[in-house]
Amino acid sequence: MEYDLRNLNKFDRIGIMGGTFDPIHFGHLAAAEAAREKYGLSVVLFIPSGIPPHKEANSLTDGKHRYNMVRLAIRGNPHFAASRMEIDRDGVSYTIDTLREIRSFMSEKGRLYFIIGADTAALLPSWKEFEVIPELTDFLVLPRHGYDTGSGLPETPLPKNAEILDMPLLEISATDIRERIKNHKSVNYLLPAAVVKYIHTFGLYVLSGQSLPEIMDYLEKNLSKKRYLHTMGVYETASKLSRIYGADEKKTAIAALLHDCAKDMLPAETLKACDKYGVKSQEIFKESVGLAHPIIGAKIAADKFGVRDHEILNAIKYHTTGRKNMTLIEKIIYVADRIEPYREPFTELDRIREIAEINLDQALIIVLKSKIAYVKSQNKRLHPLSVAALRFLQGN
Ligand code: ATP
Ligand code: MG
């Protein structure tokens, strides 16, 4: 049940722990506990942020999950409570609004303690109405790795009513936890077991149900030799391009490995798969059933390999046609598919390989043009998405 904020008027000392909690971990909990003990706080309110001003919102896990994880983590502790106020609020979450709302439930003499890590404290001066905030709350600042200049203090001056909370520095961060999960590594004992279980149940933070070696192993056993070699070539080239252009290497690798996972199917199987996944059999498939494999491939990537990430799925889905306004990973897979080392040589291949490492859009334009020319030479119908892709890149 949601914490009833009206209870706050009974207390003299209240702690607030704000954060994205993506996910909540023992660093947060130990900090809240240290603050509670030292300052005799009656309650520490954990408030998962809605859309935070300082973090990229689209990479953030749904507020519902972050709130649920907080609830699981604090369960059974009578001094800890969770509030949905920020995730339920429209627009960007500003601490100043949260503090005003909380204050409105508190008694006159109640004191508020905002518990923050040194990393967050360093950002304080950029907060909305920063000058007003210290009138509403005190701060308890926790040591945080990287912001620990020997004293555990951030280099930016703290507000005058900030105190350093003396507690052992716990080298746990949500970023590290997400990274470990992405790489199929254990996160046990970094966060409460119930939260670990929740993460696994909802498949949070993983890019795919299988690790890269598992996917490779599967491909080696199930693709034709030729297709497997091509796939590994795309993987190699795409990985290199992702490093050059700063794309997410793990996402790019998964997209590269799975881009052709449906290509060895016979036409009849492909059409059956269209039925199974509810893919509308487009008119154009009649002429070129090969155009269905990227769409089916994306479905299989999601269904069989547990890929949930839309960037990966779209890179698979559009790797043959391209489309308007392609993402970086889509471009990389599209180009890598054409220039990977095991490709049969064609006239411009070496030149495109060179260009790809210097100007990806330029390489993409050349590849699209040559593909369009090829389709035309075969008297086949051009897919409108390829035309749209080229037009977009050429700015017309
Ligand atoms: P991310 O890695 O995604 O930034 P995080 O682990 O820093 O996540 P947040 O939700 O950003 O967690 O943190 C909420 C608050 O808790 C912040 O004030 C942060 O500084 C503090 N905090 C997080 N981890 C620790 C820790 N291990 N020790 C002390 N304070 C922490
Ligand atoms: Mg942080």
Side-chain angles (χ1 to χ4, degrees), residues 2 143 150 153 186 221 239 298 305 388:
E2 168 74 356
L153 285 169
S186 164
K221 291 196 181 102
S239 300
F305 295 93

Side-chain angles (χ1 to χ4, degrees), residues 61-89:
T61 305
D62 195 330
K64 173 190 78 191
H65 285 314
R66 293 182 289 115
Y67 174 74
N68 287 343
M69 291 190 282
V70 169
R71 289 286 305 270
L72 285 172
I74 64 176
R75 196 165 56 188
N77 184 334
H79 298 290
F80 288 179
S83 165
R84 303 178 51 97
M85 73 170 82
E86 287 201 3
I87 53 176
D88 287 345
R89 192 183 298 151

Side-chain angles (χ1 to χ4, degrees), residues 21-29 69 73 172-174 176-178 180-181 185-200 205:
F21 301 121
D22 196 10
I24 188 167
H25 52 68
F26 283 134
H28 302 128
L29 293 159
M69 291 190 282
I172 305 176
S173 81
D176 173 59
I177 290 173
R178 293 193 300 274
R180 295 185 67 83
I181 296 173
K185 286 191 187 156
S186 164
V187 292
N188 290 337
Y189 313 114
L190 295 174
L191 62 172
V195 180
V196 176
K197 199 165 160 212
Y198 185 95
I199 289 170
H200 291 320
Y205 312 119

Side-chain angles (χ1 to χ4, degrees), residues 245 326-328 331 335 355-356 358-368 390 392-393:
Y245 293 103
M326 292 164 77
T327 63
L328 179 57
K331 290 175 182 176
V335 171
I355 295 174
I358 306 161
N359 185 335
L360 188 62
D361 278 356
Q362 192 58 40
L364 183 59
I365 290 176
I366 302 175
V367 174
L368 273 163
L390 186 59
F392 183 85
L393 286 161

